[in-house]
Amino acid sequence: SRARMRPGRRVACKMIKQKKIKEKIKKYLVQEIEIMMSITHKNILRFLEAKKTKNNIYIFVEFCNGGDLRRLLELMGGKLPEGFVKRIVKQIALGLDHLNERGAMHRDLKLDNILINFPEFEEGKVVPDEFIEEFDYETQEVEVIIGDLGFAKSLKDNNDLATSY
């Protein structure tokens, strides 16, 4: 699992109580893990490992220090500079294109599932609001990472339909 990590990155853990998981959700969880295991791309959240105990399931992924796109947008007063939006959209498009090449569809793309990482910020800590508010979007780097593939669908061939029930 360490071999899948980008250099200098930390780990985040998503804990899910087994009692609260219905069978349909377990199916989505297994599918999410399978898709994440098959993909390594700079704009897709990297799956590292999953562990199951008597009470919980733990999913380990790379840590993104900036939170999600909703937080970024709120801290910027609901507006982002056009050039920065182009950089964000390009990275999202690259990630979605990679999913498409691997025969997968996200099916739940929203602000909360687009994660932000500031590589120039001290690693391992959550970026404070002040850092984001003062961030120079023209000169500093930002990584946009698609996460939460829980509703992703793997299409075995182009004739498969992606349906939700």
Side-chain angles (χ1 to χ4, degrees):
S1 63
R2 282 266 184 218
R4 292 183 52 82
M5 283 186 65
R6 293 170 244 231
R9 294 294 287 271
R10 300 274 188 210
V11 175
C13 179
K14 176 179 178 181
M15 182 190 82
I16 304 161
K17 293 190 180 291
Q18 289 206 54
K19 288 181 192 175
K20 297 185 179 190
I21 302 177
K22 296 180 179 161
E23 285 306 310
K24 187 174 183 179
I25 300 300
K26 279 186 183 179
K27 179 183 128 185
Y28 286 128
L29 187 60
V30 168
Q31 189 167 300
E32 176 180 16
I33 291 170
E34 288 174 350
I35 290 171
M36 288 178 72
M37 284 176 59
S38 71
I39 293 173
T40 302
H41 188 270
K42 67 181 182 176
N43 300 111
I44 306 283
L45 187 64
R46 291 198 187 176
F47 168 83
L48 303 173
E49 192 172 359
K51 296 281 184 183
K52 183 178 176 182
T53 65
K54 181 180 173 186
N55 299 317
N56 302 311
I57 297 172
Y58 299 92
I59 299 176
F60 298 91
V61 295
E62 282 188 325
F63 174 70
C64 294
N65 63 13
D68 59 37
L69 192 52
R70 179 176 308 284
R71 176 183 180 224
L72 180 78
L73 192 58
E74 287 172 356
L75 289 171
M76 297 303 296
K79 297 178 184 178
L80 298 173
E82 183 178 344
F84 184 59
V85 171
K86 286 179 183 178
R87 288 171 50 201
I88 290 172
V89 170
K90 180 179 179 181
Q91 291 183 59
I92 293 170
L94 289 170
L96 291 174
D97 185 55
H98 188 76
L99 282 174
N100 184 51
E101 288 173 359
R102 298 291 182 269
M105 293 176 56
H106 192 284
R107 298 195 318 163
D108 193 27
L109 199 60
K110 57 188 177 186
L111 295 175
D112 302 337
N113 293 338
I114 307 295
L115 305 174
I116 306 295
N117 191 66
F118 296 93
E120 296 173 17
F121 187 76
E122 183 180 347
E123 189 57 51
K125 296 185 179 182
V126 175
V127 172
D129 294 355
E130 299 77 33
F131 180 87
I132 294 174
E133 293 165 347
E134 297 171 8
F135 187 76
D136 183 352
Y137 296 98
E138 292 183 20
T139 62
Q140 291 179 286
E141 283 300 311
V142 66
E143 298 168 341
V144 180
I145 300 167
I146 298 170
D148 196 352
L149 299 172
F151 290 109
K153 171 96 174 146
S154 180
L155 303 174
K156 296 195 175 29
D157 63 49
N158 291 336
N159 296 326
D160 285 350
L161 296 176
T163 56
S164 298
Y165 299 99

